[in-house]
Amino acid sequence: MNIPVNLSAGSLVERAQRVAAVARAHAAEVDHDGRFPEEAVNAMKAERLLSIQIPTELGGDAASTGEITELCSIISQACSSAAMVFAMHHIKLSSLVEHGMDSDWHRSFMRRVVSEQMLIASATTEGGIGGNLRNSICAIEVDGDICRLEKDATVISYATKADAILITSRAHKDAAPTDQVMTAFTRDQYTLDKTQDWDTLGMRGTCSEGFLFKGEAPKEQIFPKPFAEIAAQSMLANSHILWSGVWYGIAVDAVNRAQAFVRSAARKQPGVVPPGAIRLAEVSNLLQMMKSNVVAAIKAYEEAKADPEKLSSVAFSVAMNNVKIASSESVLTIIDHAMLICGILGYKNGTPYSLGRHLRDAHSARLMISNDRILGNTSTMLLIHKQDTSLLG
């Protein structure tokens, strides 16, 4: 069921599997209590998985997006909250790797991520703009060599557990809402005052609470490139691909439970095809289509990275948006099929076939970022873009 990528360092998968074993042991408690998956994240740090994306020259493993997506899937099969934390960390890390290599401070920061296994959080949402990450109300203030920022961040996942936060704002007080920069603040450079709780249906372990953020740091910690470029060339693709890896992992575990249920039924009545066998074949087909969607997205992104113009093109944005929409819709359909196969034992908690947590976690997929918002953006882009209708183009 794994996504086929070239893992030159096979130990990456082995390290992720050890993390998954820890995550699985605590997944039910993390979900029930709505607490941070501390044990799983500590295991990620012990396995040095938080720095695998960083180039080897700075001490990392130079892991590709495909490799990281595979690890998201492995961890998600055990605990999707832990996997989502891992994915969100690496989405932010991609901004550093792709857009911070020409900055001495950001290169030094990447070395710290390697040596200290720092966990990085994101603050792109804001009161008054909702989930529209390409707009900001707050503005960074530069005073000599210092920059200051205050932001009403309605969501900062695992903020109190993070070692650093990458946060967006307007470039200056007179800048347009879309003229944004991203700044890295380390834990000792900001304060957080909680404004919103996180008591949700699913993904409870991400602890995505709201905070009033106040930070002060050297101005060199502002990314040297505009956030518009960062969003288009690294965040868009990495968000949709790594999230899809997490959702694929949820789907895989749901199908595995459905398959185990059908096999158990077959053993009880040898020679009789269990009622769920046909539906199992159907859901296997759906899972393969979901997998193909993610694999195609990884391939498209790796190819586009060689051409900055293509990476910022309307066609590429539409393609990545479609990946997110398809994955977030598919995971719910797949779990629904698995629930029908497992019946009451899938509906009940505490059985080997329980799927309640899978279903609740998967419902977050269409809301991160809202599918309606993405479809609206895509529809606008399609007014000026002609779709590529070739099969292999």
Side-chain angles (χ1 to χ4, degrees), residues 177-229:
T178 56
D179 181 7
Q180 298 168 287
V181 292
M182 177 179 278
T183 308
F185 288 89
T186 55
R187 180 187 287 175
D188 59 324
Q189 296 173 332
Y190 59 80
T191 61
L192 297 169
D193 292 320
K194 191 167 79 167
T195 57
Q196 296 186 34
D197 291 325
W198 182 252
D199 184 6
T200 54
L201 184 69
M203 285 294 176
R204 294 170 55 77
T206 62
C207 301
S208 302
E209 300 159 327
F211 296 91
L212 178 63
F213 174 100
K214 295 180 181 179
E216 180 176 303
K219 69 177 183 181
E220 62 184 346
Q221 295 178 207
I222 302 172
F223 275 72
K225 296 182 179 179
F227 181 66
E229 187 174 327

Short mmCIF file of all heavy atoms in Angstrom, two decimals, residues 177-229:
data_model
loop_
_atom_site.label_atom_id
_atom_site.label_comp_id
_atom_site.label_asym_id
_atom_site.label_seq_id
_atom_site.Cartn_x
_atom_site.Cartn_y
_atom_site.Cartn_z
N PRO A 177 -2.57 44.47 1.76
CA PRO A 177 -2.78 43.20 2.47
C PRO A 177 -2.05 42.01 1.83
O PRO A 177 -1.69 41.07 2.53
CB PRO A 177 -4.29 43.01 2.42
CG PRO A 177 -4.84 44.40 2.31
CD PRO A 177 -3.86 45.15 1.46
N THR A 178 -1.86 42.07 0.51
CA THR A 178 -1.20 40.95 -0.19
C THR A 178 0.31 41.12 -0.28
O THR A 178 1.00 40.22 -0.75
CB THR A 178 -1.76 40.79 -1.61
OG1 THR A 178 -1.62 42.04 -2.30
CG2 THR A 178 -3.23 40.39 -1.57
N ASP A 179 0.84 42.28 0.15
CA ASP A 179 2.29 42.51 0.15
C ASP A 179 2.83 42.00 1.48
O ASP A 179 2.93 42.73 2.46
CB ASP A 179 2.57 44.01 -0.03
CG ASP A 179 4.06 44.32 -0.06
OD1 ASP A 179 4.88 43.37 -0.07
OD2 ASP A 179 4.41 45.53 -0.06
N GLN A 180 3.18 40.72 1.50
CA GLN A 180 3.50 40.05 2.76
C GLN A 180 4.94 39.57 2.84
O GLN A 180 5.61 39.36 1.82
CB GLN A 180 2.59 38.81 2.92
CG GLN A 180 1.11 39.10 3.01
CD GLN A 180 0.33 37.81 2.86
OE1 GLN A 180 0.23 37.24 1.78
NE2 GLN A 180 -0.26 37.34 3.96
N VAL A 181 5.39 39.40 4.07
CA VAL A 181 6.67 38.76 4.35
C VAL A 181 6.43 37.66 5.37
O VAL A 181 5.40 37.62 6.05
CB VAL A 181 7.71 39.76 4.89
CG1 VAL A 181 8.12 40.76 3.82
CG2 VAL A 181 7.21 40.45 6.16
N MET A 182 7.40 36.76 5.45
CA MET A 182 7.38 35.72 6.49
C MET A 182 8.61 35.93 7.37
O MET A 182 9.70 36.21 6.86
CB MET A 182 7.38 34.32 5.88
CG MET A 182 7.44 33.21 6.91
SD MET A 182 7.43 31.55 6.16
CE MET A 182 5.67 31.35 5.88
N THR A 183 8.42 35.78 8.67
CA THR A 183 9.51 35.98 9.62
C THR A 183 9.60 34.77 10.54
O THR A 183 8.58 34.22 10.96
CB THR A 183 9.29 37.25 10.47
OG1 THR A 183 9.03 38.36 9.61
CG2 THR A 183 10.51 37.54 11.34
N ALA A 184 10.82 34.36 10.84
CA ALA A 184 11.05 33.26 11.78
C ALA A 184 11.35 33.83 13.16
O ALA A 184 12.24 34.67 13.31
CB ALA A 184 12.22 32.40 11.30
N PHE A 185 10.57 33.41 14.14
CA PHE A 185 10.80 33.79 15.54
C PHE A 185 11.07 32.52 16.34
O PHE A 185 10.31 31.55 16.24
CB PHE A 185 9.58 34.50 16.13
CG PHE A 185 9.35 35.90 15.63
CD1 PHE A 185 8.59 36.12 14.49
CD2 PHE A 185 9.89 36.99 16.30
CE1 PHE A 185 8.35 37.41 14.03
CE2 PHE A 185 9.66 38.29 15.83
CZ PHE A 185 8.90 38.49 14.70
N THR A 186 12.12 32.51 17.13
CA THR A 186 12.39 31.38 18.00
C THR A 186 11.66 31.57 19.33
O THR A 186 11.23 32.67 19.68
CB THR A 186 13.89 31.20 18.24
OG1 THR A 186 14.43 32.43 18.75
CG2 THR A 186 14.60 30.85 16.93
N ARG A 187 11.53 30.49 20.08
CA ARG A 187 10.67 30.47 21.27
C ARG A 187 11.00 31.59 22.26
O ARG A 187 10.11 32.13 22.92
CB ARG A 187 10.79 29.11 21.95
CG ARG A 187 9.93 28.98 23.21
CD ARG A 187 10.20 27.69 23.93
NE ARG A 187 9.64 26.54 23.25
CZ ARG A 187 9.84 25.28 23.63
NH1 ARG A 187 10.60 25.03 24.68
NH2 ARG A 187 9.28 24.27 22.97
N ASP A 188 12.26 31.94 22.38
CA ASP A 188 12.67 32.97 23.33
C ASP A 188 12.40 34.39 22.84
O ASP A 188 12.67 35.36 23.55
CB ASP A 188 14.17 32.83 23.65
CG ASP A 188 15.04 32.94 22.41
OD1 ASP A 188 14.61 32.47 21.33
OD2 ASP A 188 16.14 33.50 22.51
N GLN A 189 11.84 34.52 21.62
CA GLN A 189 11.63 35.84 21.03
C GLN A 189 10.17 36.25 20.95
O GLN A 189 9.85 37.28 20.37
CB GLN A 189 12.24 35.87 19.61
CG GLN A 189 13.76 35.67 19.61
CD GLN A 189 14.32 35.52 18.20
OE1 GLN A 189 13.62 35.07 17.29
NE2 GLN A 189 15.56 35.91 18.02
N TYR A 190 9.25 35.46 21.52
CA TYR A 190 7.84 35.81 21.44
C TYR A 190 7.08 35.36 22.68
O TYR A 190 7.56 34.52 23.45
CB TYR A 190 7.18 35.23 20.19
CG TYR A 190 7.25 33.71 20.07
CD1 TYR A 190 6.38 32.88 20.76
CD2 TYR A 190 8.18 33.10 19.23
CE1 TYR A 190 6.43 31.50 20.64
CE2 TYR A 190 8.24 31.72 19.09
CZ TYR A 190 7.38 30.93 19.80
OH TYR A 190 7.43 29.56 19.67
N THR A 191 5.90 35.96 22.83
CA THR A 191 4.97 35.52 23.87
C THR A 191 3.66 35.14 23.19
O THR A 191 3.33 35.63 22.11
CB THR A 191 4.70 36.63 24.90
OG1 THR A 191 4.12 37.77 24.25
CG2 THR A 191 5.98 37.02 25.61
N LEU A 192 2.91 34.24 23.84
CA LEU A 192 1.63 33.77 23.33
C LEU A 192 0.57 33.91 24.40
O LEU A 192 0.74 33.37 25.51
CB LEU A 192 1.73 32.31 22.89
CG LEU A 192 2.68 31.96 21.73
CD1 LEU A 192 2.85 30.45 21.63
CD2 LEU A 192 2.15 32.53 20.42
N ASP A 193 -0.50 34.61 24.09
CA ASP A 193 -1.64 34.70 24.98
C ASP A 193 -2.82 33.99 24.29
O ASP A 193 -3.29 34.45 23.25
CB ASP A 193 -2.01 36.16 25.27
CG ASP A 193 -0.95 36.86 26.10
OD1 ASP A 193 -0.41 36.23 27.02
OD2 ASP A 193 -0.64 38.03 25.80
N LYS A 194 -3.28 32.89 24.89
CA LYS A 194 -4.31 32.08 24.23
C LYS A 194 -5.63 32.82 24.14
O LYS A 194 -6.10 33.41 25.12
CB LYS A 194 -4.50 30.75 24.94
CG LYS A 194 -5.36 29.76 24.16
CD LYS A 194 -5.28 28.35 24.70
CE LYS A 194 -6.15 28.19 25.92
NZ LYS A 194 -6.34 26.75 26.27
N THR A 195 -6.24 32.77 22.96
CA THR A 195 -7.53 33.43 22.72
C THR A 195 -8.63 32.46 22.34
O THR A 195 -9.81 32.79 22.45
CB THR A 195 -7.39 34.47 21.59
OG1 THR A 195 -6.90 33.82 20.40
CG2 THR A 195 -6.43 35.59 21.98
N GLN A 196 -8.26 31.25 21.86
CA GLN A 196 -9.26 30.27 21.43
C GLN A 196 -8.81 28.87 21.82
O GLN A 196 -7.62 28.54 21.73
CB GLN A 196 -9.48 30.33 19.90
CG GLN A 196 -10.05 31.65 19.42
CD GLN A 196 -10.39 31.62 17.94
OE1 GLN A 196 -10.81 30.60 17.41
NE2 GLN A 196 -10.23 32.76 17.26
N ASP A 197 -9.77 28.04 22.22
CA ASP A 197 -9.49 26.65 22.58
C ASP A 197 -9.55 25.76 21.34
O ASP A 197 -9.96 26.19 20.26
CB ASP A 197 -10.49 26.16 23.63
CG ASP A 197 -10.28 26.83 24.98
OD1 ASP A 197 -9.12 27.10 25.34
OD2 ASP A 197 -11.29 27.10 25.67
N TRP A 198 -9.19 24.49 21.53
CA TRP A 198 -9.23 23.50 20.45
C TRP A 198 -9.92 22.24 20.98
O TRP A 198 -9.29 21.31 21.47
CB TRP A 198 -7.80 23.18 19.97
CG TRP A 198 -7.71 22.22 18.83
CD1 TRP A 198 -7.27 20.92 18.86
CD2 TRP A 198 -8.04 22.47 17.45
NE1 TRP A 198 -7.31 20.35 17.61
CE2 TRP A 198 -7.78 21.28 16.72
CE3 TRP A 198 -8.55 23.57 16.77
CZ2 TRP A 198 -8.00 21.18 15.34
CZ3 TRP A 198 -8.76 23.47 15.41
CH2 TRP A 198 -8.49 22.29 14.70
N ASP A 199 -11.23 22.23 20.92
CA ASP A 199 -12.02 21.06 21.32
C ASP A 199 -12.84 20.67 20.10
O ASP A 199 -13.92 21.21 19.86
CB ASP A 199 -12.92 21.41 22.51
CG ASP A 199 -13.68 20.20 23.03
OD1 ASP A 199 -13.41 19.08 22.56
OD2 ASP A 199 -14.55 20.38 23.91
N THR A 200 -12.34 19.74 19.32
CA THR A 200 -12.85 19.50 17.97
C THR A 200 -13.31 18.07 17.77
O THR A 200 -13.07 17.18 18.59
CB THR A 200 -11.76 19.82 16.93
OG1 THR A 200 -10.57 19.07 17.26
CG2 THR A 200 -11.44 21.29 16.92
N LEU A 201 -13.94 17.86 16.63
CA LEU A 201 -14.41 16.54 16.24
C LEU A 201 -13.24 15.58 16.02
O LEU A 201 -13.27 14.43 16.47
CB LEU A 201 -15.24 16.65 14.96
CG LEU A 201 -15.91 15.39 14.43
CD1 LEU A 201 -17.04 14.98 15.37
CD2 LEU A 201 -16.46 15.63 13.02
N GLY A 202 -12.23 16.02 15.30
CA GLY A 202 -11.08 15.19 14.98
C GLY A 202 -9.80 15.99 14.97
O GLY A 202 -9.78 17.17 15.29
N MET A 203 -8.70 15.33 14.62
CA MET A 203 -7.36 15.93 14.65
C MET A 203 -7.14 16.67 15.97
O MET A 203 -6.55 17.75 16.02
CB MET A 203 -7.17 16.88 13.46
CG MET A 203 -6.96 16.18 12.13
SD MET A 203 -5.40 15.26 12.09
CE MET A 203 -5.53 14.48 10.47
N ARG A 204 -7.60 16.03 17.04
CA ARG A 204 -7.60 16.69 18.34
C ARG A 204 -6.19 16.90 18.88
O ARG A 204 -5.92 17.86 19.62
CB ARG A 204 -8.44 15.87 19.31
CG ARG A 204 -9.92 15.85 18.92
CD ARG A 204 -10.75 14.84 19.74
NE ARG A 204 -10.64 15.04 21.17
CZ ARG A 204 -11.27 15.99 21.86
NH1 ARG A 204 -12.07 16.83 21.22
NH2 ARG A 204 -11.13 16.08 23.16
N GLY A 205 -5.26 16.04 18.49
CA GLY A 205 -3.90 16.12 19.00
C GLY A 205 -3.04 17.21 18.40
O GLY A 205 -1.93 17.46 18.88
N THR A 206 -3.54 17.88 17.34
CA THR A 206 -2.74 18.96 16.76
C THR A 206 -2.77 20.21 17.63
O THR A 206 -1.95 21.11 17.45
CB THR A 206 -3.23 19.33 15.35
OG1 THR A 206 -4.58 19.81 15.41
CG2 THR A 206 -3.16 18.13 14.42
N CYS A 207 -3.75 20.29 18.55
CA CYS A 207 -3.82 21.41 19.51
C CYS A 207 -3.71 22.75 18.79
O CYS A 207 -2.85 23.59 19.10
CB CYS A 207 -2.73 21.28 20.57
SG CYS A 207 -2.84 19.74 21.51
N SER A 208 -4.61 22.96 17.83
CA SER A 208 -4.55 24.15 16.97
C SER A 208 -5.33 25.32 17.58
O SER A 208 -6.36 25.74 17.07
CB SER A 208 -5.08 23.80 15.58
OG SER A 208 -4.34 22.74 15.01
N GLU A 209 -4.81 25.83 18.67
CA GLU A 209 -5.46 26.90 19.41
C GLU A 209 -5.15 28.26 18.79
O GLU A 209 -4.25 28.40 17.96
CB GLU A 209 -5.00 26.86 20.87
CG GLU A 209 -5.35 25.54 21.56
CD GLU A 209 -4.51 25.27 22.78
OE1 GLU A 209 -3.32 25.67 22.80
OE2 GLU A 209 -5.03 24.64 23.72
N GLY A 210 -5.91 29.28 19.22
CA GLY A 210 -5.67 30.64 18.78
C GLY A 210 -4.88 31.42 19.81
O GLY A 210 -5.03 31.19 21.02
N PHE A 211 -4.04 32.36 19.35
CA PHE A 211 -3.18 33.11 20.26
C PHE A 211 -2.99 34.55 19.77
O PHE A 211 -3.01 34.81 18.56
CB PHE A 211 -1.78 32.47 20.36
CG PHE A 211 -1.76 31.10 20.94
CD1 PHE A 211 -1.87 29.98 20.13
CD2 PHE A 211 -1.62 30.91 22.31
CE1 PHE A 211 -1.85 28.71 20.66
CE2 PHE A 211 -1.60 29.64 22.85
CZ PHE A 211 -1.71 28.54 22.04
N LEU A 212 -2.76 35.44 20.71
CA LEU A 212 -2.23 36.75 20.39
C LEU A 212 -0.72 36.63 20.47
O LEU A 212 -0.16 36.37 21.55
CB LEU A 212 -2.74 37.81 21.37
CG LEU A 212 -2.20 39.23 21.15
CD1 LEU A 212 -2.62 39.77 19.79
CD2 LEU A 212 -2.64 40.16 22.28
N PHE A 213 -0.08 36.77 19.32
CA PHE A 213 1.38 36.61 19.20
C PHE A 213 2.04 37.98 19.29
O PHE A 213 1.64 38.93 18.60
CB PHE A 213 1.69 35.95 17.85
CG PHE A 213 3.16 35.87 17.52
CD1 PHE A 213 3.86 34.69 17.72
CD2 PHE A 213 3.85 36.97 16.99
CE1 PHE A 213 5.21 34.61 17.41
CE2 PHE A 213 5.19 36.89 16.68
CZ PHE A 213 5.88 35.71 16.90
N LYS A 214 3.06 38.09 20.14
CA LYS A 214 3.88 39.30 20.20
C LYS A 214 5.34 38.89 20.15
O LYS A 214 5.80 38.12 21.01
CB LYS A 214 3.59 40.08 21.49
CG LYS A 214 2.19 40.65 21.60
CD LYS A 214 1.99 41.41 22.91
CE LYS A 214 0.58 41.96 23.02
NZ LYS A 214 0.37 42.70 24.31
N GLY A 215 6.05 39.37 19.12
CA GLY A 215 7.43 38.96 18.95
C GLY A 215 8.37 40.11 18.65
O GLY A 215 7.97 41.13 18.07
N GLU A 216 9.63 39.94 19.02
CA GLU A 216 10.68 40.90 18.72
C GLU A 216 11.96 40.13 18.43
O GLU A 216 12.34 39.23 19.19
CB GLU A 216 10.90 41.85 19.89
CG GLU A 216 12.00 42.89 19.65
CD GLU A 216 12.14 43.88 20.80
OE1 GLU A 216 11.12 44.52 21.12
OE2 GLU A 216 13.25 43.99 21.37
N ALA A 217 12.61 40.46 17.31
CA ALA A 217 13.79 39.70 16.88
C ALA A 217 14.65 40.57 15.97
O ALA A 217 14.19 41.61 15.47
CB ALA A 217 13.36 38.44 16.15
N PRO A 218 15.89 40.15 15.69
CA PRO A 218 16.70 40.85 14.70
C PRO A 218 16.01 40.82 13.33
O PRO A 218 15.42 39.79 12.96
CB PRO A 218 18.01 40.05 14.68
CG PRO A 218 18.08 39.44 16.05
CD PRO A 218 16.66 39.11 16.40
N LYS A 219 16.08 41.90 12.59
CA LYS A 219 15.36 42.00 11.32
C LYS A 219 15.86 41.01 10.27
O LYS A 219 15.17 40.71 9.30
CB LYS A 219 15.42 43.42 10.77
CG LYS A 219 16.80 43.87 10.29
CD LYS A 219 16.75 45.26 9.69
CE LYS A 219 18.11 45.69 9.16
NZ LYS A 219 18.09 47.06 8.59
N GLU A 220 17.06 40.47 10.47
CA GLU A 220 17.61 39.50 9.52
C GLU A 220 16.81 38.20 9.51
O GLU A 220 16.97 37.37 8.61
CB GLU A 220 19.07 39.21 9.83
CG GLU A 220 19.28 38.58 11.21
CD GLU A 220 20.75 38.39 11.54
OE1 GLU A 220 21.59 38.49 10.62
OE2 GLU A 220 21.07 38.13 12.73
N GLN A 221 15.91 38.04 10.48
CA GLN A 221 15.10 36.83 10.53
C GLN A 221 13.89 36.90 9.61
O GLN A 221 13.18 35.92 9.42
CB GLN A 221 14.69 36.54 11.98
CG GLN A 221 15.88 36.21 12.87
CD GLN A 221 15.56 35.94 14.32
OE1 GLN A 221 16.39 36.16 15.20
NE2 GLN A 221 14.37 35.45 14.61
N ILE A 222 13.66 38.08 9.02
CA ILE A 222 12.64 38.20 7.97
C ILE A 222 13.17 37.50 6.73
O ILE A 222 14.31 37.70 6.33
CB ILE A 222 12.33 39.68 7.66
CG1 ILE A 222 11.86 40.41 8.92
CG2 ILE A 222 11.29 39.79 6.56
CD1 ILE A 222 11.72 41.92 8.73
N PHE A 223 12.35 36.66 6.11
CA PHE A 223 12.79 35.96 4.91
C PHE A 223 13.15 36.96 3.81
O PHE A 223 12.44 37.97 3.63
CB PHE A 223 11.69 35.02 4.40
CG PHE A 223 11.69 33.66 5.06
CD1 PHE A 223 11.28 33.53 6.38
CD2 PHE A 223 12.12 32.53 4.38
CE1 PHE A 223 11.28 32.29 7.00
CE2 PHE A 223 12.13 31.29 4.98
CZ PHE A 223 11.71 31.17 6.30
N PRO A 224 14.20 36.70 3.07
CA PRO A 224 14.65 37.65 2.04
C PRO A 224 13.74 37.71 0.82
O PRO A 224 13.85 38.64 0.02
CB PRO A 224 16.04 37.14 1.67
CG PRO A 224 16.02 35.67 2.00
CD PRO A 224 15.13 35.56 3.21
N LYS A 225 12.84 36.75 0.67
CA LYS A 225 11.96 36.72 -0.50
C LYS A 225 10.51 37.00 -0.07
O LYS A 225 10.11 36.63 1.03
CB LYS A 225 12.05 35.37 -1.21
CG LYS A 225 13.45 35.10 -1.78
CD LYS A 225 13.52 33.79 -2.53
CE LYS A 225 14.92 33.57 -3.10
NZ LYS A 225 15.03 32.28 -3.83
N PRO A 226 9.72 37.63 -0.94
CA PRO A 226 8.32 37.92 -0.59
C PRO A 226 7.55 36.64 -0.30
O PRO A 226 7.82 35.58 -0.89
CB PRO A 226 7.78 38.62 -1.84
CG PRO A 226 8.98 39.07 -2.60
CD PRO A 226 10.07 38.10 -2.29
N PHE A 227 6.56 36.75 0.58
CA PHE A 227 5.77 35.56 0.91
C PHE A 227 4.99 35.05 -0.30
O PHE A 227 4.74 33.85 -0.40
CB PHE A 227 4.80 35.85 2.06
CG PHE A 227 3.99 34.66 2.44
CD1 PHE A 227 4.58 33.52 2.99
CD2 PHE A 227 2.61 34.63 2.23
CE1 PHE A 227 3.82 32.40 3.32
CE2 PHE A 227 1.85 33.53 2.56
CZ PHE A 227 2.46 32.42 3.11
N ALA A 228 4.62 35.95 -1.20
CA ALA A 228 3.91 35.52 -2.41
C ALA A 228 4.72 34.48 -3.16
O ALA A 228 4.18 33.48 -3.67
CB ALA A 228 3.61 36.71 -3.32
N GLU A 229 6.03 34.67 -3.23
CA GLU A 229 6.91 33.72 -3.91
C GLU A 229 7.04 32.44 -3.11
O GLU A 229 7.03 31.33 -3.67
CB GLU A 229 8.28 34.38 -4.11
CG GLU A 229 9.26 33.57 -4.95
CD GLU A 229 10.55 34.33 -5.22
OE1 GLU A 229 10.49 35.57 -5.33
OE2 GLU A 229 11.60 33.67 -5.31
#
